[in-house]
PDB file of all heavy atoms in Angstrom:
ATOM      1  N   THR A 198     178.598 101.220 129.450  1.00 92.00           N
ATOM      2  CA  THR A 198     178.230 102.305 130.367  1.00 92.00           C
ATOM      3  C   THR A 198     177.525 103.346 129.575  1.00 92.00           C
ATOM      4  O   THR A 198     177.514 103.451 128.298  1.00 92.00           O
ATOM      5  CB  THR A 198     179.474 102.941 130.981  1.00 92.00           C
ATOM      6  OG1 THR A 198     178.999 103.902 131.950  1.00 92.00           O
ATOM      7  CG2 THR A 198     180.373 103.552 130.000  1.00 92.00           C
ATOM      8  N   PHE A 199     176.726 104.239 130.281  1.00 94.00           N
ATOM      9  CA  PHE A 199     176.131 105.355 129.703  1.00 94.00           C
ATOM     10  C   PHE A 199     176.993 106.667 130.075  1.00 94.00           C
ATOM     11  O   PHE A 199     177.353 106.762 131.241  1.00 94.00           O
ATOM     12  CB  PHE A 199     174.752 105.577 130.223  1.00 94.00           C
ATOM     13  CG  PHE A 199     173.778 104.597 129.810  1.00 94.00           C
ATOM     14  CD1 PHE A 199     173.054 103.833 130.798  1.00 94.00           C
ATOM     15  CD2 PHE A 199     173.544 104.303 128.489  1.00 94.00           C
ATOM     16  CE1 PHE A 199     172.134 102.924 130.379  1.00 94.00           C
ATOM     17  CE2 PHE A 199     172.639 103.303 128.123  1.00 94.00           C
ATOM     18  CZ  PHE A 199     171.954 102.591 129.048  1.00 94.00           C
ATOM     19  N   ALA A 200     177.412 107.463 129.087  1.00 91.00           N
ATOM     20  CA  ALA A 200     178.147 108.627 129.323  1.00 91.00           C
ATOM     21  C   ALA A 200     177.324 109.831 129.117  1.00 91.00           C
ATOM     22  O   ALA A 200     177.133 110.324 127.965  1.00 91.00           O
ATOM     23  CB  ALA A 200     179.342 108.589 128.284  1.00 91.00           C
ATOM     24  N   GLY A 201     176.791 110.309 130.267  1.00 91.00           N
ATOM     25  CA  GLY A 201     175.994 111.524 130.145  1.00 91.00           C
ATOM     26  C   GLY A 201     174.632 111.121 129.367  1.00 91.00           C
ATOM     27  O   GLY A 201     173.893 110.240 129.823  1.00 91.00           O
ATOM     28  N   ASP A 202     174.439 111.756 128.307  1.00 94.00           N
ATOM     29  CA  ASP A 202     173.285 111.421 127.479  1.00 94.00           C
ATOM     30  C   ASP A 202     173.566 110.723 126.204  1.00 94.00           C
ATOM     31  O   ASP A 202     172.889 110.821 125.229  1.00 94.00           O
ATOM     32  CB  ASP A 202     172.414 112.748 127.179  1.00 94.00           C
ATOM     33  CG  ASP A 202     173.237 113.723 126.421  1.00 94.00           C
ATOM     34  OD1 ASP A 202     174.458 113.496 126.181  1.00 94.00           O
ATOM     35  OD2 ASP A 202     172.662 114.796 125.987  1.00 94.00           O
ATOM     36  N   THR A 203     174.752 110.031 126.176  1.00 95.00           N
ATOM     37  CA  THR A 203     175.144 109.312 125.040  1.00 95.00           C
ATOM     38  C   THR A 203     175.664 107.870 125.494  1.00 95.00           C
ATOM     39  O   THR A 203     175.794 107.566 126.629  1.00 95.00           O
ATOM     40  CB  THR A 203     176.371 110.023 124.281  1.00 95.00           C
ATOM     41  OG1 THR A 203     177.486 109.959 125.164  1.00 95.00           O
ATOM     42  CG2 THR A 203     175.969 111.463 123.957  1.00 95.00           C
ATOM     43  N   ALA A 204     175.796 107.043 124.483  1.00 96.00           N
ATOM     44  CA  ALA A 204     176.279 105.686 124.638  1.00 96.00           C
ATOM     45  C   ALA A 204     176.860 105.197 123.372  1.00 96.00           C
ATOM     46  O   ALA A 204     176.549 105.647 122.302  1.00 96.00           O
ATOM     47  CB  ALA A 204     175.188 104.780 125.081  1.00 96.00           C
ATOM     48  N   ARG A 205     177.793 104.248 123.527  1.00 94.00           N
ATOM     49  CA  ARG A 205     178.468 103.657 122.287  1.00 94.00           C
ATOM     50  C   ARG A 205     178.405 102.153 122.379  1.00 94.00           C
ATOM     51  O   ARG A 205     178.695 101.534 123.313  1.00 94.00           O
ATOM     52  CB  ARG A 205     179.894 104.098 122.286  1.00 94.00           C
ATOM     53  CG  ARG A 205     180.760 103.422 121.138  1.00 94.00           C
ATOM     54  CD  ARG A 205     182.101 104.110 120.955  1.00 94.00           C
ATOM     55  NE  ARG A 205     181.991 105.391 120.177  1.00 94.00           N
ATOM     56  CZ  ARG A 205     182.975 106.174 119.804  1.00 94.00           C
ATOM     57  NH1 ARG A 205     184.239 105.711 120.125  1.00 94.00           N
ATOM     58  NH2 ARG A 205     182.749 107.276 119.303  1.00 94.00           N
ATOM     59  N   LEU A 206     177.986 101.568 121.242  1.00 94.00           N
ATOM     60  CA  LEU A 206     177.931 100.153 121.047  1.00 94.00           C
ATOM     61  C   LEU A 206     179.053  99.748 120.300  1.00 94.00           C
ATOM     62  O   LEU A 206     179.313 100.257 119.172  1.00 94.00           O
ATOM     63  CB  LEU A 206     176.625  99.780 120.446  1.00 94.00           C
ATOM     64  CG  LEU A 206     176.304  98.197 120.309  1.00 94.00           C
ATOM     65  CD1 LEU A 206     176.076  97.557 121.609  1.00 94.00           C
ATOM     66  CD2 LEU A 206     175.108  98.012 119.362  1.00 94.00           C
ATOM     67  N   ALA A 207     179.919  98.791 120.691  1.00 91.00           N
ATOM     68  CA  ALA A 207     181.059  98.394 119.934  1.00 91.00           C
ATOM     69  C   ALA A 207     181.105  96.789 119.886  1.00 91.00           C
ATOM     70  O   ALA A 207     180.227  96.049 120.341  1.00 91.00           O
ATOM     71  CB  ALA A 207     182.350  98.904 120.630  1.00 91.00           C
ATOM     72  N   GLY A 208     182.136  96.353 119.132  1.00 88.00           N
ATOM     73  CA  GLY A 208     182.315  94.866 119.062  1.00 88.00           C
ATOM     74  C   GLY A 208     181.397  94.229 118.162  1.00 88.00           C
ATOM     75  O   GLY A 208     180.883  94.797 117.188  1.00 88.00           O
ATOM     76  N   GLU A 209     181.062  92.931 118.480  1.00 88.00           N
ATOM     77  CA  GLU A 209     180.211  92.077 117.596  1.00 88.00           C
ATOM     78  C   GLU A 209     178.780  92.606 117.539  1.00 88.00           C
ATOM     79  O   GLU A 209     178.150  92.490 116.507  1.00 88.00           O
ATOM     80  CB  GLU A 209     180.220  90.650 118.084  1.00 88.00           C
ATOM     81  CG  GLU A 209     181.588  89.879 117.889  1.00 88.00           C
ATOM     82  CD  GLU A 209     181.478  88.456 118.225  1.00 88.00           C
ATOM     83  OE1 GLU A 209     180.385  87.974 118.450  1.00 88.00           O
ATOM     84  OE2 GLU A 209     182.462  87.771 118.304  1.00 88.00           O
ATOM     85  N   ASP A 210     178.328  93.128 118.650  1.00 89.00           N
ATOM     86  CA  ASP A 210     176.935  93.692 118.614  1.00 89.00           C
ATOM     87  C   ASP A 210     176.820  94.852 117.606  1.00 89.00           C
ATOM     88  O   ASP A 210     175.807  95.048 116.907  1.00 89.00           O
ATOM     89  CB  ASP A 210     176.591  94.133 119.993  1.00 89.00           C
ATOM     90  CG  ASP A 210     176.317  93.032 120.997  1.00 89.00           C
ATOM     91  OD1 ASP A 210     176.057  91.907 120.513  1.00 89.00           O
ATOM     92  OD2 ASP A 210     176.427  93.259 122.228  1.00 89.00           O
ATOM     93  N   ALA A 211     177.856  95.729 117.672  1.00 92.00           N
ATOM     94  CA  ALA A 211     177.847  96.894 116.662  1.00 92.00           C
ATOM     95  C   ALA A 211     177.936  96.348 115.249  1.00 92.00           C
ATOM     96  O   ALA A 211     177.185  96.896 114.364  1.00 92.00           O
ATOM     97  CB  ALA A 211     179.010  97.780 116.978  1.00 92.00           C
ATOM     98  N   HIS A 212     178.701  95.319 115.001  1.00 88.00           N
ATOM     99  CA  HIS A 212     178.837  94.802 113.630  1.00 88.00           C
ATOM    100  C   HIS A 212     177.478  94.277 113.266  1.00 88.00           C
ATOM    101  O   HIS A 212     177.009  94.331 112.062  1.00 88.00           O
ATOM    102  CB  HIS A 212     179.909  93.656 113.653  1.00 88.00           C
ATOM    103  CG  HIS A 212     180.039  93.022 112.325  1.00 88.00           C
ATOM    104  ND1 HIS A 212     179.305  91.935 111.952  1.00 88.00           N
ATOM    105  CD2 HIS A 212     180.850  93.296 111.181  1.00 88.00           C
ATOM    106  CE1 HIS A 212     179.597  91.602 110.724  1.00 88.00           C
ATOM    107  NE2 HIS A 212     180.489  92.423 110.259  1.00 88.00           N
ATOM    108  N   HIS A 213     176.853  93.456 114.196  1.00 85.00           N
ATOM    109  CA  HIS A 213     175.555  92.881 113.855  1.00 85.00           C
ATOM    110  C   HIS A 213     174.507  94.013 113.542  1.00 85.00           C
ATOM    111  O   HIS A 213     173.657  93.843 112.594  1.00 85.00           O
ATOM    112  CB  HIS A 213     175.048  92.031 115.014  1.00 85.00           C
ATOM    113  CG  HIS A 213     173.740  91.311 114.781  1.00 85.00           C
ATOM    114  ND1 HIS A 213     173.536  90.254 113.926  1.00 85.00           N
ATOM    115  CD2 HIS A 213     172.462  91.613 115.250  1.00 85.00           C
ATOM    116  CE1 HIS A 213     172.282  89.901 113.879  1.00 85.00           C
ATOM    117  NE2 HIS A 213     171.637  90.678 114.718  1.00 85.00           N
ATOM    118  N   LEU A 214     174.421  95.009 114.417  1.00 90.00           N
ATOM    119  CA  LEU A 214     173.464  96.003 114.156  1.00 90.00           C
ATOM    120  C   LEU A 214     173.682  96.827 112.919  1.00 90.00           C
ATOM    121  O   LEU A 214     172.842  97.141 112.133  1.00 90.00           O
ATOM    122  CB  LEU A 214     173.503  96.842 115.426  1.00 90.00           C
ATOM    123  CG  LEU A 214     172.403  98.071 115.374  1.00 90.00           C
ATOM    124  CD1 LEU A 214     170.984  97.556 115.172  1.00 90.00           C
ATOM    125  CD2 LEU A 214     172.491  98.949 116.675  1.00 90.00           C
ATOM    126  N   GLY A 215     174.985  97.104 112.714  1.00 86.00           N
ATOM    127  CA  GLY A 215     175.362  97.902 111.536  1.00 86.00           C
ATOM    128  C   GLY A 215     175.309  97.147 110.222  1.00 86.00           C
ATOM    129  O   GLY A 215     174.723  97.561 109.179  1.00 86.00           O
ATOM    130  N   ARG A 216     175.864  95.992 110.197  1.00 84.00           N
ATOM    131  CA  ARG A 216     176.085  95.197 108.947  1.00 84.00           C
ATOM    132  C   ARG A 216     174.954  94.300 108.636  1.00 84.00           C
ATOM    133  O   ARG A 216     174.577  94.103 107.497  1.00 84.00           O
ATOM    134  CB  ARG A 216     177.400  94.461 108.976  1.00 84.00           C
ATOM    135  CG  ARG A 216     178.662  95.296 109.089  1.00 84.00           C
ATOM    136  CD  ARG A 216     178.814  96.223 107.889  1.00 84.00           C
ATOM    137  NE  ARG A 216     180.057  97.059 107.994  1.00 84.00           N
ATOM    138  CZ  ARG A 216     181.206  96.688 107.702  1.00 84.00           C
ATOM    139  NH1 ARG A 216     181.433  95.528 107.237  1.00 84.00           N
ATOM    140  NH2 ARG A 216     182.230  97.483 107.822  1.00 84.00           N
ATOM    141  N   VAL A 217     174.357  93.662 109.643  1.00 85.00           N
ATOM    142  CA  VAL A 217     173.282  92.634 109.443  1.00 85.00           C
ATOM    143  C   VAL A 217     171.928  93.328 109.508  1.00 85.00           C
ATOM    144  O   VAL A 217     171.057  93.089 108.581  1.00 85.00           O
ATOM    145  CB  VAL A 217     173.444  91.625 110.433  1.00 85.00           C
ATOM    146  CG1 VAL A 217     172.285  90.573 110.232  1.00 85.00           C
ATOM    147  CG2 VAL A 217     174.746  90.844 110.474  1.00 85.00           C
ATOM    148  N   LEU A 218     171.670  94.219 110.465  1.00 85.00           N
ATOM    149  CA  LEU A 218     170.429  94.829 110.504  1.00 85.00           C
ATOM    150  C   LEU A 218     170.416  96.153 109.789  1.00 85.00           C
ATOM    151  O   LEU A 218     169.306  96.823 109.787  1.00 85.00           O
ATOM    152  CB  LEU A 218     170.084  95.073 112.071  1.00 85.00           C
ATOM    153  CG  LEU A 218     169.950  93.719 112.838  1.00 85.00           C
ATOM    154  CD1 LEU A 218     169.570  94.181 114.316  1.00 85.00           C
ATOM    155  CD2 LEU A 218     168.952  92.829 112.350  1.00 85.00           C
ATOM    156  N   HIS A 219     171.491  96.548 109.202  1.00 89.00           N
ATOM    157  CA  HIS A 219     171.518  97.762 108.279  1.00 89.00           C
ATOM    158  C   HIS A 219     171.051  99.023 109.085  1.00 89.00           C
ATOM    159  O   HIS A 219     170.230  99.764 108.670  1.00 89.00           O
ATOM    160  CB  HIS A 219     170.790  97.561 107.092  1.00 89.00           C
ATOM    161  CG  HIS A 219     171.126  96.380 106.267  1.00 89.00           C
ATOM    162  ND1 HIS A 219     172.400  96.258 105.664  1.00 89.00           N
ATOM    163  CD2 HIS A 219     170.512  95.130 106.053  1.00 89.00           C
ATOM    164  CE1 HIS A 219     172.450  95.109 105.059  1.00 89.00           C
ATOM    165  NE2 HIS A 219     171.335  94.379 105.259  1.00 89.00           N
ATOM    166  N   ALA A 220     171.588  99.188 110.332  1.00 89.00           N
ATOM    167  CA  ALA A 220     171.231 100.281 111.134  1.00 89.00           C
ATOM    168  C   ALA A 220     171.525 101.612 110.522  1.00 89.00           C
ATOM    169  O   ALA A 220     172.547 101.756 109.695  1.00 89.00           O
ATOM    170  CB  ALA A 220     171.892 100.306 112.518  1.00 89.00           C
ATOM    171  N   GLU A 221     170.670 102.689 110.690  1.00 92.00           N
ATOM    172  CA  GLU A 221     170.802 103.896 110.065  1.00 92.00           C
ATOM    173  C   GLU A 221     170.601 104.976 111.181  1.00 92.00           C
ATOM    174  O   GLU A 221     169.828 104.744 112.115  1.00 92.00           O
ATOM    175  CB  GLU A 221     169.839 104.158 108.945  1.00 92.00           C
ATOM    176  CG  GLU A 221     170.075 103.235 107.775  1.00 92.00           C
ATOM    177  CD  GLU A 221     169.056 103.461 106.640  1.00 92.00           C
ATOM    178  OE1 GLU A 221     168.061 104.162 106.963  1.00 92.00           O
ATOM    179  OE2 GLU A 221     169.197 102.850 105.626  1.00 92.00           O
ATOM    180  N   PRO A 222     171.204 106.180 111.016  1.00 95.00           N
ATOM    181  CA  PRO A 222     170.941 107.297 111.980  1.00 95.00           C
ATOM    182  C   PRO A 222     169.454 107.576 112.066  1.00 95.00           C
ATOM    183  O   PRO A 222     168.681 107.529 111.002  1.00 95.00           O
ATOM    184  CB  PRO A 222     171.727 108.435 111.345  1.00 95.00           C
ATOM    185  CG  PRO A 222     172.829 107.844 110.698  1.00 95.00           C
ATOM    186  CD  PRO A 222     172.248 106.585 110.042  1.00 95.00           C
ATOM    187  N   GLY A 223     168.985 107.858 113.274  1.00 95.00           N
ATOM    188  CA  GLY A 223     167.564 108.111 113.458  1.00 95.00           C
ATOM    189  C   GLY A 223     166.767 106.957 114.002  1.00 95.00           C
ATOM    190  O   GLY A 223     165.674 107.149 114.624  1.00 95.00           O
ATOM    191  N   GLN A 224     167.291 105.720 113.772  1.00 94.00           N
ATOM    192  CA  GLN A 224     166.529 104.551 114.333  1.00 94.00           C
ATOM    193  C   GLN A 224     166.641 104.470 115.867  1.00 94.00           C
ATOM    194  O   GLN A 224     167.630 104.890 116.438  1.00 94.00           O
ATOM    195  CB  GLN A 224     167.069 103.283 113.672  1.00 94.00           C
ATOM    196  CG  GLN A 224     166.800 103.214 112.126  1.00 94.00           C
ATOM    197  CD  GLN A 224     167.382 101.925 111.579  1.00 94.00           C
ATOM    198  OE1 GLN A 224     168.373 101.378 112.088  1.00 94.00           O
ATOM    199  NE2 GLN A 224     166.849 101.471 110.400  1.00 94.00           N
ATOM    200  N   LEU A 225     165.567 103.924 116.426  1.00 95.00           N
ATOM    201  CA  LEU A 225     165.487 103.780 117.848  1.00 95.00           C
ATOM    202  C   LEU A 225     165.701 102.322 118.325  1.00 95.00           C
ATOM    203  O   LEU A 225     165.128 101.413 117.745  1.00 95.00           O
ATOM    204  CB  LEU A 225     164.171 104.303 118.383  1.00 95.00           C
ATOM    205  CG  LEU A 225     163.812 105.767 118.077  1.00 95.00           C
ATOM    206  CD1 LEU A 225     162.446 106.093 118.579  1.00 95.00           C
ATOM    207  CD2 LEU A 225     164.813 106.649 118.957  1.00 95.00           C
TER     208      LEU A 225
END
């Protein structure tokens, strides 16, 4: 869901984006 003007990605997708794709603040 979208919460106002924010959103949270969790679970395996968050792991993939954070650990595999090396996501960083500021990326779109």
Side-chain angles (χ1 to χ4, degrees):
T198 186
F199 295 122
D202 60 354
T203 66
R205 172 168 288 184
L206 185 68
E209 292 186 9
D210 288 337
H212 180 271
H213 179 74
L214 181 55
R216 299 293 181 86
V217 179
L218 300 181
H219 305 294
E221 297 178 351
Q224 291 179 337
L225 296 173

